[in-house]
Amino acid sequence: MLARVWSASLVGIDAIKVGVEVDVAGGLPSITIVGLPDTAVQESRERVKAAIKNSGFAFPVRKIIINLTPGDLRKEGPYFDLPISVGILAASEQIEVDLLGDYLFLGEVSLDGSLRPVAGVLAIAAAAKRLGISGLVVPADNAQEAAVVKDLAVYGFNQLSEVADFLDQPQNHKPVQFSPTQIVERSPLPRLDLKEVKGQNHARRALEIAAAGGHNLIFVGPPGSGKTMLAKRLSSILPPLSFNEALEVSQIHSVAGLLKNKGSLIQERPFRSPHHSASGPSLVGGGSYPRPGEISLSHYGVLFLDELTEFKRNVLEFLRQPLEDGYVSISRTRQSVTFPAQFTLVASTNPCPCGYFGDPIQHCTCSPRQREQYWAKLSGPLMDRIDLQVAVNRLKPEEMTGQARGEDSETVRKRVNIARDRAQDRFKSDKTVTCNAQMQSSHLRSFCQLDESSRNLLEGAIRKLGLSARAMDRILKVSRTIADLGGDDTLKSHHVAEAIQYRTIDRMK
């Protein structure tokens, strides 16, 4: 007898519907799996055989052929254990087949017949909804994750025998109900707050502008000046994720297998901080069958690169395309995928190898040649894509010992939210733009018009600093954000002047 069960395979953060066809026929006992299965899928033969026997069913001692369609799509991972098991039981007439065409099955089975969770269920559930699938049958530990998708019936089970009972008597089972209180995943670490930062008002202002406009930011200063401390507090003043943004971020982490538990929804903006020894593929994603890298895991959040000049130059160049386009495309011989990558880049670096160039107290021991080689790792095109370049100076003794504190993160966050709302209202006719950093040339012409004094000021900066056209556009975007924070509808010369001040590295050259 022939039976067909539906499952799915991940391609990037999307999923493709996969048919699992099982034919049980006469012949010498054997199990053959075709349809480009990888090693994990091939190994499912032994797991499925033991699981069926240990769940109280008879494993057919006949010739079994399992075909995974479409035949030109590589199938990988343990997703197909459950659909293969169900297909064998259906083809051997041990369970009812009426509901097989209405549901999508996925999950790993253990030898004792228990179901184990798999990664990427949220992405598969979202794809199932688009494909018109009525429901999803998954391991119980994946049920809440899949139930996030609205109007999709999700059934979670702990044992293969429970799945069989569901197919035989569906009226005895109810779908899992979406429970936000159960699936919210929050950081176990205490939230960092800007009020803990002493002094550095200029850098705090830059953080606020970066959060309000989604601008990339780099801090340059000597060791111990607070660069890393400032950068780690950017997340505390960013607006909260919307439900759709949280869903998209969770999909990426689900595909990467990084959800702390299999039934969680990320509701805090990601903050990723890879070590400077990170390779290119770990940053942008990769592998024979590409998986998301650090920049995609930072989607809608922050990618923090501490000690930026310690990263290899060729690794940093990988950032150029995603910083400009908001996504990363990875091409491999077997597969090409696109991952979203709309993140805010925050970086920090010392001004020279010893770290004390320009410091009023500690003498710099680096030669001009050493400093030149140090900065050569950061190409012009990469620095053009960093909107805010901020010098962070050594704290004064009275600032270090004093008890004075700046504004807390919640106060700053309220101003950021107001500025973001102004920007979103401006871009309400264009759903592709959500913040000022994403503006294109047409938006700049419409929303960043300069008066004569502002234009003269900007032209003078271009001549003096040798700015590129891209750097000029970045200044206009930052000016627009500064105006939004001030509640101004038009750009004025003091907005442009402040934006020009955030080109520290250009002024150092």
Side-chain angles (χ1 to χ4, degrees):
M1 180 178 173
L2 175 67
R4 177 183 284 112
V5 182
W6 294 112
S7 188
S9 182
L10 287 170
V11 178
I13 64 167
D14 203 357
I16 293 179
K17 189 177 180 181
V18 172
V20 179
E21 299 174 338
V22 179
D23 181 55
V24 177
L28 292 175
S30 64
I31 304 176
T32 303
I33 302 178
V34 297
L36 288 183
D38 73 347
T39 303
V41 179
Q42 291 284 8
E43 290 176 346
S44 68
R45 293 177 296 184
E46 304 305 322
R47 291 194 297 270
V48 166
K49 185 175 181 179
I52 289 177
K53 289 181 177 180
N54 292 324
S55 297
F57 299 98
F59 189 85
V61 187
R62 305 177 71 183
K63 183 178 182 179
I64 301 174
I65 299 177
I66 301 167
N67 180 37
L68 307 177
T69 62
D72 60 347
L73 175 69
R74 182 74 173 179
K75 322 301 187 304
E76 60 173 337
Y79 301 94
F80 304 103
D81 287 7
L82 179 57
I84 289 175
S85 300
V86 171
I88 291 175
L89 292 176
S92 59
E93 300 181 339
Q94 299 185 68
I95 59 173
E96 293 292 332
V97 299
D98 296 341
L99 299 180
L100 292 186
D102 298 330
Y103 292 89
L104 189 149
F105 298 78
L106 67 150
E108 179 182 350
V109 297
S110 296
L111 300 184
D112 61 357
S114 60
L115 304 184
R116 296 174 55 82
V118 292
V121 169
L122 183 56
I124 292 174
K129 172 68 182 306
R130 293 195 303 271
L131 293 170
I133 298 294
S134 300
L136 207 61
V137 177
V138 297
D141 288 342
N142 285 129
Q144 276 294 326
E145 180 183 348
V148 172
V149 180
K150 297 178 180 179
D151 302 322
L152 181 69
V154 176
Y155 294 86
F157 300 105
N158 291 305
Q159 296 287 331
L160 177 60
S161 57
E162 295 175 6
V163 177
D165 183 67
F166 163 70
L167 294 171
D168 289 336
Q169 303 179 64
Q171 69 277 4
N172 295 339
H173 301 269
K174 294 183 180 180
V176 175
Q177 298 299 313
F178 172 59
S179 177
T181 58
Q182 293 183 26
I183 67 170
V184 171
E185 178 175 303
R186 298 191 182 279
S187 171
L189 301 177
R191 179 181 291 275
L192 302 176
D193 201 295
L194 264 181
K195 67 181 179 183
E196 298 160 358
V197 178
K198 295 183 178 182
Q200 305 298 7
N201 293 330
H202 182 58
R204 289 169 59 97
R205 169 67 171 174
L207 272 183
E208 183 175 342
I209 295 171
H215 301 291
N216 302 315
L217 168 68
I218 183 172
F219 289 123
V220 182
S225 56
K227 304 185 297 295
T228 301
M229 186 178 187
L230 284 159
K232 288 184 176 180
R233 281 152 180 78
L234 176 58
S235 295
S236 68
I237 61 174
L238 288 172
L241 287 171
S242 67
F243 180 80
N244 288 335
E245 288 175 335
L247 190 61
E248 192 171 345
V249 170
S250 299
Q251 280 186 232
I252 297 171
H253 284 71
S254 176
V255 169
L258 294 180
L259 290 181
K260 290 185 175 63
N261 59 73
K262 299 300 181 182
S264 57
L265 181 69
I266 295 174
Q267 289 205 334
E268 295 185 353
R269 293 187 180 270
F271 184 92
R272 306 290 299 182
S273 181
H275 191 261
H276 58 74
S277 61
S279 65
S282 70
L283 204 62
V284 301
S288 300
Y289 303 97
R291 287 290 182 264
E294 291 292 339
I295 61 176
S296 293
L297 295 171
S298 306
H299 187 51
Y300 291 138
V302 177
L303 176 65
F304 175 44
L305 301 183
D306 200 10
E307 302 299 340
L308 185 66
T309 48
E310 297 300 324
F311 284 80
K312 295 179 180 179
R313 177 171 175 139
N314 67 312
V315 172
L316 293 178
E317 292 304 297
F318 283 121
L319 293 169
R320 287 166 57 175
Q321 184 246 339
L323 283 175
E324 194 73 21
D325 301 331
Y327 63 86
V328 57
S329 297
I330 303 173
S331 297
R332 295 292 183 268
T333 303
R334 298 170 177 171
Q335 199 174 64
S336 295
V337 299
T338 298
F339 293 116
Q342 290 185 13
F343 61 93
T344 299
L345 173 65
V346 181
S348 68
T349 186
N350 295 329
C352 65
C354 78
Y356 294 103
F357 178 67
D359 188 80
I361 298 176
Q362 188 79 22
H363 177 66
C364 175
T365 59
C366 304
S367 67
R369 177 62 177 167
Q370 287 176 314
R371 289 194 292 269
E372 181 181 346
Q373 291 176 336
Y374 183 76
W375 284 104
K377 291 186 178 181
L378 307 181
S379 66
L382 175 62
M383 296 311 300
D384 277 351
R385 289 168 168 82
I386 299 181
D387 307 2
L388 302 166
Q389 304 167 3
V390 183
V392 182
N393 299 318
R394 178 194 293 268
L395 285 174
K396 299 177 181 178
E398 57 269 24
E399 289 177 324
M400 288 190 283
T401 60
Q403 299 301 314
R405 293 290 187 272
E407 292 179 306
D408 60 22
S409 292
E410 188 59 33
T411 301
V412 177
R413 193 182 204 183
K414 290 177 181 178
R415 292 199 299 267
V416 168
N417 288 339
I418 293 173
R420 287 255 185 167
D421 289 342
R422 289 176 62 89
Q424 289 178 357
D425 184 65
R426 186 184 306 121
F427 305 129
K428 59 186 176 182
S429 60
D430 187 349
K431 300 301 182 182
T432 63
V433 180
T434 59
C435 60
N436 291 330
Q438 298 173 4
M439 286 193 292
Q440 303 299 319
S441 298
S442 59
H443 303 115
L444 294 177
R445 289 193 297 269
S446 301
F447 306 125
C448 298
Q449 296 183 2
L450 301 175
D451 56 25
E452 185 175 354
S453 61
S454 299
R455 185 177 295 105
N456 291 336
L457 182 63
L458 183 57
E459 289 176 356
I462 293 173
R463 293 191 188 95
K464 184 175 181 179
L465 303 178
L467 300 177
S468 67
R470 182 184 288 113
M472 182 198 72
D473 287 348
R474 300 284 173 172
I475 289 176
L476 291 176
K477 294 175 183 179
V478 172
S479 301
R480 180 66 267 170
T481 300
I482 294 172
D484 287 342
L485 285 168
D488 296 319
D489 293 326
T490 58
L491 295 187
K492 298 181 174 59
S493 57
H494 65 274
H495 300 143
V496 177
E498 183 178 359
I500 293 172
Q501 289 301 307
Y502 296 117
R503 303 301 299 185
T504 296
I505 295 177
D506 293 324
R507 300 199 304 272
M508 289 172 58
K509 294 178 180 178

